[in-house]
Amino acid sequence: MSFLDVLLGRKHPPLVGLDISSSSVKLVELGQTASGEYVVERFATESFEKGWIADGQIEKFDEVAEAVRRVVVKSGTRTKHVAMAMPQSSVITKKIVLPAGLREEELEMQVESEANQYIPFSLDEVSLDFCVIGPSPTSAGDVEVLIAASRKDRVQDRQGLAEAAGLKPVVLDIESHASRLAVSRLIRALPNEGRDMLVALFEIGAETTSLKVLRDDELLYDRDQAFGGSQLTQLISRQYGFSFEEAEQKKLAGDLPEDYEQTILNPFVDSMAQEVGRALQYFFTSTPHHKVHYVMLAGGSAALPGLKERVTAQTGFASMIVNPFEGMKLGSSVRESKLRREAPSYLTACGLAMRRFLQ
Ligand SMILES: Nc1ncnc2c1ncn2[C@@H]1O[C@H](COP(=O)(O)OP(=O)(O)OP(=O)(O)O)[C@@H](O)[C@H]1O
Ligand SMILES: [Mg+2]
């Protein structure tokens, strides 16, 4: 932050959150009122065609860059600085313990030598980053350091996308950290500020469903599964003979034949609720826990009609659909009904936008 920013009271220079995932790019810009409440200033999304991004890898760079450019224009933002994220599958993270009070260069050297031991690439192919988390809870006089490493070409791809759209990447986070940041705000809004509660967060996207179990700021469990809304699109495309893109469009618009609900949607929602139940069972069998206090459903497919009710029935736990903008004020250019409808898919983008106030 520059001296001028401080002088002019621009404590947090503008920054937008840009979430580039397998099905779309989503942009969120947050502001803050004088009393510290978040304000949703802008949000927008542009969808990708299937295959533009596969397994977190950008396969069609120009097409994706063009979509990023469109989402910026559509959102109306004038902010150039962006916070982006790497998919968790492209990042290796590890916590290590080092003596407290090391100088920056010593710390760097230690981190590099530690990293050498477990990163399966040569270090010059890798972007390495680290931060000191705090004192070690187990050994006095030591600090915990989080190391994150990703292949350089993956990082450069993401940065290149932003730059091709005329943006300047200033934060490169990890997707799952960003969604945790956004959800921790919602957990604090639960009774008793969510203290000591086990919260199962499902992010049900297009290709992937992930389950994180959180307690306070601790991540107890984290699993990804290849399952998501694009399976439903596939079924629609096969049943009615549409292309994937047509089927996706009709699915979102609700523009489908009369028998759709009975023959396709309901059975799919049932099987999705079963997958959710099964994923929780795996958590219970591999940990000492046997219940969660809340099941939170996020990701675009969380909004499937009837899913929340069926998850509650299947698991017996209270379920809710995540709205990362819950409790935020709305800027003048934000349409509330649209925001509410699309909110669950903006969890990661919202967490990235929150980084503006946490640097
Ligand atoms: N209102 C809705 N009703 C039903 N499905 C929806 C709705 N909105 C979005 N979806 C579906 O949600 C999926 C996209 O969700 P999301 O944006 O969270 O995925 P993603 O992050 O791109 O995917 P992934 O996490 O797998 O990379 C798509 O399959 C889309 O069809
Ligand atoms: Mg996602």
Side-chain angles (χ1 to χ4, degrees):
M1 201 187 312
S2 76
F3 176 63
L4 209 59
D5 283 334
V6 179
L7 204 64
L8 297 175
R10 284 198 304 246
K11 227 169 74 201
H12 300 286
L15 170 157
V16 296
L18 196 68
D19 171 25
I20 299 173
S21 61
S22 74
S23 71
S24 63
V25 50
K26 303 172 194 84
L27 181 151
V28 171
E29 182 168 2
L30 297 178
Q32 219 170 29
T33 63
S35 56
E37 287 167 303
Y38 286 121
V39 183
V40 187
E41 299 289 3
R42 298 164 203 287
F43 74 104
T45 180
E46 271 288 313
S47 44
F48 300 152
E49 284 181 23
K50 201 173 168 58
W52 286 5
I53 294 192
D55 298 325
Q57 175 116 16
I58 298 147
E59 302 288 348
K60 299 275 182 211
F61 186 91
D62 295 342
E63 285 83 347
V64 173
E66 193 50 47
V68 173
R69 211 170 298 148
R70 283 198 304 272
V71 86
V72 171
V73 171
K74 190 163 149 184
S75 74
T77 186
R78 282 186 298 273
T79 305
K80 295 292 176 214
H81 286 184
V82 289
M84 305 170 79
M86 299 293 294
Q88 199 171 4
S89 58
S90 326
V91 183
I92 301 172
T93 55
K94 193 171 166 64
K95 243 187 240 174
I96 60 169
V97 174
L98 292 175
L102 290 180
R103 280 184 295 120
E104 191 70 18
E105 311 88 79
E106 288 172 323
L107 199 58
E108 246 167 62
M109 264 171 51
Q110 291 278 354
V111 164
E112 282 201 8
S113 88
E114 290 276 343
N116 248 329
Q117 293 170 32
Y118 65 84
I119 292 174
F121 312 107
S122 118
L123 277 193
D124 29 291
E125 292 171 49
V126 163
S127 288
L128 196 62
D129 201 359
F130 64 91
C131 68
V132 176
I133 306 171
S136 158
T138 48
S139 59
D142 289 343
V143 287
E144 281 190 323
V145 179
L146 180 70
I147 308 182
S150 181
R151 278 179 39 186
K152 252 185 200 150
D153 51 351
R154 295 269 175 122
V155 171
Q156 283 161 351
D157 262 2
R158 299 260 150 180
Q159 289 171 333
L161 278 181
E163 281 155 12
L167 303 169
K168 187 169 186 290
V170 292
V171 172
L172 192 61
D173 202 340
I174 304 172
E175 279 172 13
S176 57
H177 285 215
S179 58
R180 268 173 71 188
L181 179 63
V183 94
S184 65
R185 202 185 133 263
L186 304 177
I187 292 176
R188 282 196 304 278
L190 292 173
N192 195 26
E193 298 183 336
R195 236 171 275 141
D196 298 330
M197 283 181 189
L198 264 70
V199 173
L201 169 67
F202 283 90
E203 289 174 83
I204 313 172
E207 310 289 341
T208 311
T209 292
S210 73
L211 163 60
K212 292 182 188 52
V213 182
L214 307 161
R215 184 179 53 198
D216 303 314
D217 284 323
E218 203 184 346
L219 176 66
L220 300 177
Y221 186 82
D222 190 4
R223 287 288 179 286
D224 274 4
Q225 228 180 320
F227 186 79
S230 79
Q231 256 117 333
L232 175 57
T233 309
Q234 207 80 262
L235 290 172
I236 296 171
S237 133
R238 220 172 298 147
Q239 175 84 3
Y240 302 112
F242 302 131
S243 72
F244 185 90
E245 266 67 41
E246 279 172 330
E248 176 70 21
Q249 205 189 341
K250 288 177 186 290
K251 168 175 127 179
L252 297 183
D255 173 24
L256 286 161
E258 220 168 89
D259 69 335
Y260 164 65
E261 221 178 280
Q262 277 262 311
T263 53
I264 311 254
L265 178 64
N266 292 344
F268 181 82
V269 169
D270 268 340
S271 71
M272 194 168 256
Q274 275 167 21
E275 289 292 336
V276 165
R278 213 168 288 149
L280 274 175
Q281 282 307 322
Y282 279 125
F283 163 64
F284 296 141
T285 52
S286 56
T287 64
H289 303 284
H290 54 274
K291 68 169 208 175
V292 295
H293 296 83
Y294 289 99
V295 175
M296 292 190 172
L297 303 173
S301 306
L304 280 171
L307 181 63
K308 186 185 81 147
E309 290 72 19
R310 274 179 237 196
V311 166
T312 304
Q314 178 82 29
T315 64
F317 303 122
S319 319
M320 55 176 87
I321 296 179
V322 168
N323 174 359
F325 306 113
E326 187 86 54
M328 294 187 183
K329 299 245 172 299
L330 305 188
S332 52
S333 61
V334 166
R335 264 188 31 225
E336 190 181 357
S337 57
K338 183 173 157 62
L339 184 70
R340 198 165 342 103
R341 205 169 50 241
E342 298 180 4
S345 67
Y346 278 92
L347 187 66
T348 306
C350 183
L352 288 171
M354 285 166 70
R355 289 292 300 261
R356 173 176 180 186
F357 303 103
L358 301 168
Q359 285 175 66

